[in-house]
């Protein structure tokens, strides 16, 4: 989707980004001084206690809310331009499917809104349904699907315009542990296949470590980034990884970072 | 999971839900026949259901004509009132000041006994015109449609609005893809309520003058002249209109809202 010149630019670059919500009870500083760069194709998780501004940061990147301060660029463009150009796809904790549309027509919605021709749309929807393993369910309605399947539809929809950036806000938060682990493996495969960068909000430490190239640790009041932990697991992420010593080491590192214990190991930085 | 929910909501097995009211109705008619024909204790204005049935069959040509008049008035009123209600609800949903003006006004209309206006409307538009009756039905139908459509236009969920924003949808696309389909079940609920109200309004309006036709006029005429069985046959005709309006709109409502939200 994005022109060749911008693919070399970072998927997301935030410099000094802050967000203040004016409320009746006074101003709420949701985010302050956020410095973050997500490289093309990189998988970055945002983790932190509830209220630390994870969703807010994701909504700023998606241009669903404007930043109060600082600068934000998506593939070198302002967030609003990136939204109009469909440079990113997004999935929320609620699948947010339209109940009166079939799976196929939910997946194809972004294409329909951008006036992609019927034939091309049908082909692309079939491709996406295959990618998320829902080929047999394209004619069903959302209320006939399990929560995990609905979330897969939402992911397919987010990928419809072939974005090079995928934004996800606790997409597996409402699912049971089994479905969750399955979809995590699926997501690493999909991210590798599509070569999209991913910004993934979660409050699960194992989930963040399993999925990410880097885990961004955030802290509330005011919401800010307090630590960044690199995993160095490479592209091959299977269930064996979940039992490896490196994995447990990173889980511990993230936990310590979250709980404010000083991490002294230089290689974590 | 959703099928389980549906089964629980239904409560009774489906055959029982049809058979139960039929049995109750048949029992009622049996008691009625016992009271009127066997015991002979009923007042004169309560004839036997058999006598009413006979009149219904015998006088079907004139009863059918009366039904057509009243049903047409109700239908014209329902359509006109609904169209105006949809247009005004759309305006109120889109423009804040109009919302502030219209909603108290509609609340006021809702408490006015609309049929009481019929004599005035009949005088305004002439005693030979059906317009007064249709206008009464229209005003009566307007209220539930307006209230429901306005509510429906405000039911879009934040996650869906976010979705359309990130898809860079135009306001028109958002209306077509999200606002309208969300409001549709509410419109149909409003129409179902309005259809019954319009029939009642159109029928009762006939008691307040206007042309000498229609089911209500006939009921009043034959009740006064003591032809109880014929008056009741016309009542049955009125029930028939109400039933058809209700069934058609209920069916439409079911078709539209068969998908539960996820
Ligand atoms: N629309 C809003 N208006 C006012 N305050 C908000 C709004 N959205 C978020 N906040 C506040 O900003 C802070 C961060 O919220 P959020 O980004 O949702 O946190 P998280 O997703 O990490 O749980 C919270 O204190 C929250 O109350
Ligand atoms: Mg959140």
């Amino acid at each position: 989707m994005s022109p060749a010149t911008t693919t070399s630019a970072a998927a997301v670059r935030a410099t000094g980004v802050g967000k203040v919500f004016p409320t009746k009870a006074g101003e709420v500083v949701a985010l302050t001084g956020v410095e973050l760069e997500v490289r093309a194709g990189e998988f970055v998780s945002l983790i932190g206690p509830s209220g630390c501004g994870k969703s807010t940061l994701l909504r700023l990147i998606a241009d669903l809310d404007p930043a109060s301060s600082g600068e934000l660029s998506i593939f070198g463009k302002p967030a609003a331009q990136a939204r109009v150009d469909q440079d990113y796809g997004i999935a929320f904790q609620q699948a947010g499917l339209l109940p009166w549309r079939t799976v196929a027509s939910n997946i194809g919605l972004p294409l329909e809104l951008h006036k992609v021709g019927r034939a091309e749309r049908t082909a692309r929807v079939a491709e996406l349904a295959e990618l998320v393993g829902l080929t047999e369910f394209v004619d069903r309605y959302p209320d006939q699907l399990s929560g995990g399947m609905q979330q897969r539809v939402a992911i397919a929809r987010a990928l419809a315009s072939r974005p090079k950036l995928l934004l996800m806000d606790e997409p597996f938060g409402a699912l049971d542990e089994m479905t969750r682990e399955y979809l995590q493996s699926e997501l690493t495969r999909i991210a590798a296949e599509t070569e999209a960068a991913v910004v993934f909000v979660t409050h699960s430490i194992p989930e963040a470590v399993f999925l990410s190239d880097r885990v961004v640790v955030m802290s509330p009041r005011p919401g800010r980034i307090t630590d960044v932990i690199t995993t160095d697991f490479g592209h091959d992420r299977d269930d064996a990884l979940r039992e490896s010593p490196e994995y447990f080491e990173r889980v511990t590192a993230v936990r310590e970072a979250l709980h404010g214990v000083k991490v002294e190991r230089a290689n974590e930085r | 999971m959703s099928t389980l929910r549906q089964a629980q909501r239904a409560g009774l097995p489906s055959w029982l839900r049809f058979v139960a009211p039929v049995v109750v109705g048949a029992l009622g008619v049996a008691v009625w026949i016992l009271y009127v024909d066997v015991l002979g204790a009923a007042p004169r204005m309560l004839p036997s259901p058999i006598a009413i049935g006979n009149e219904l069959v015998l006088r079907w040509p004139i009863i059918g004509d009366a039904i057509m008049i009243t049903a047409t008035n109700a239908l014209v009123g329902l359509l006109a009132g609904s169209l105006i209600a949809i247009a005004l609800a759309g305006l109120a949903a889109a423009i804040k000041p109009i919302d502030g003006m219209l909603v108290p006004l509609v609340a006021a209309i809702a408490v006015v006994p609309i049929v009481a206006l019929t004599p005035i409307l009949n005088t305004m538009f002439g005693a030979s015109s059906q317009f007064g009756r249709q206008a009464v039905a229209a005003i009566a139908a307007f209220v539930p449609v307006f209230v429901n459509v306005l509510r429906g236009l405000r039911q879009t969920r934040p996650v869906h609005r976010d979705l359309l924003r990130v898809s860079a949808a135009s306001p028109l696309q958002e209306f077509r893809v999200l606002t309208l389909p969300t409001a549709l079940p509410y419109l149909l609920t409003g129409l179902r309520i309005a259809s019954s109200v319009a029939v009642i309004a159109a029928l009762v309006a006939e008691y307040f003058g206007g042309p000498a036709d229609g089911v209500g006029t006939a009921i009043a005429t034959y009740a006064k002249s003591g032809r109880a069985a014929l008056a009741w046959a016309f009542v049955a005709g009125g029930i028939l209109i109400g039933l058809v309006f209700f069934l058609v709109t209920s069916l439409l409502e079911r078709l539209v809202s068969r998908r539960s939200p996820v």
Side-chain angles (χ1 to χ4, degrees), chain B residues 133-147:
Chain B
R133 294 166 178 177
Q134 292 168 353
V136 166
I139 299 170
F142 170 85
V143 178
V145 176
F146 178 87
V147 171

Side-chain angles (χ1 to χ4, degrees), chain A residues 19 21-23 28-31 48-59 65 169-170 201 203 218 221 223:
Chain A
K19 177 68 184 177
F21 288 107
T23 64
V28 175
V29 182
L31 280 178
S50 149
C52 70
K54 306 181 294 290
S55 298
T56 303
L57 180 53
L58 207 71
R59 292 179 64 85
D65 288 315
D169 192 350
E170 301 189 27
V201 170
H203 52 229
M218 298 177 68
R221 284 177 298 274

